[in-house]
């Protein structure tokens, strides 16, 4: 009889994403229509420019809700809660992976940005206002 084993801890940011984010955003950040938008949209992250790390820090600490139209798909009424199932170190790794791998930017999520987002508590409206017109 074969013994099933599970990893004790994830070793890569991609594995952390799969554990903590893929249930909604799907494996590789391709999104789930109507549930959670795709994160593998380089044009979006690149259009955010220098604000991309600040934006992702705000989303993971404050969550996101409200009407979003992305690539012709409406995301309405569902609320992404603040990410609470990770350590800050894991959030930094996941956020940086999203920015660099899925977003094809050189952006880095830092502990300082997470701390600032927690202090300033950007609203969902603030975060939606940061979004570029690119979908």
């Amino acid at each position: 009889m074969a013994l099933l084993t599970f990893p004790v801890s994830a070793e890569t940011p991609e594995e952390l994403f799969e554990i903590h984010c893929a249930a909604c955003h799907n494996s590789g950040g391709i999104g789930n229509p109507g549930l959670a938008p795709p994160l593998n949209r380089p044009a979006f992250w690149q259009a955010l420019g220098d604000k991309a790390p600040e934006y992702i820090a705000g989303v993971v600490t404050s969550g996101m809700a409200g009407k979003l139209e992305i690539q012709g798909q409406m995301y309405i009424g569902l609320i992404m809660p603040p990410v609470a199932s990770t350590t800050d170190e894991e959030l930094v790794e996941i956020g940086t992976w999203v920015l660099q791998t899925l977003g094809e930017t050189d952006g880095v999520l830092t502990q300082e940005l997470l701390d600032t987002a927690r202090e300033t508590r950007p609203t969902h409206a603030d975060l939606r206002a940061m979004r570029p017109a690119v979908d």
Side-chain angles (χ1 to χ4, degrees):
M1 181 165 110
L3 204 51
L4 293 177
T5 60
F6 298 93
V8 174
S9 64
E11 294 181 358
T12 69
E14 183 175 10
E15 290 170 328
L16 291 169
F17 180 90
E18 292 298 315
I19 292 166
H20 299 287
C21 310
C24 294
H25 289 285
N26 217 327
S27 186
I30 64 170
N32 276 318
L35 174 65
L39 300 178
N40 65 340
R41 299 182 348 260
F44 169 78
W45 296 107
Q46 292 165 13
L48 276 165
D50 292 343
K51 296 228 179 243
E54 178 185 344
Y55 175 81
I56 201 165
V59 171
V60 300
T61 60
S62 294
M64 175 62 87
K67 178 181 172 183
L68 297 174
E69 183 174 351
I70 299 167
Q71 298 175 334
Q73 174 71 48
M74 293 300 292
Y75 298 88
I76 229 173
L78 297 173
I79 298 173
M80 177 189 151
V83 178
S85 63
T86 66
T87 65
D88 281 0
E89 293 80 14
E90 290 170 332
L91 275 180
V92 165
E93 288 186 49
I94 294 166
T96 299
W97 181 81
V98 168
L99 293 168
Q100 294 180 355
T101 302
L102 302 181
E104 298 177 13
T105 73
D106 60 359
V108 175
L109 179 58
T110 63
Q111 182 66 52
E112 181 180 3
L113 285 169
L114 286 176
D115 292 343
T116 298
R118 284 190 182 109
E119 289 171 18
T120 60
R121 297 197 178 272
T123 67
H124 296 175
D126 294 336
L127 294 167
R128 284 192 310 276
M130 289 178 72
R131 297 175 64 84
V134 174
D135 75 10

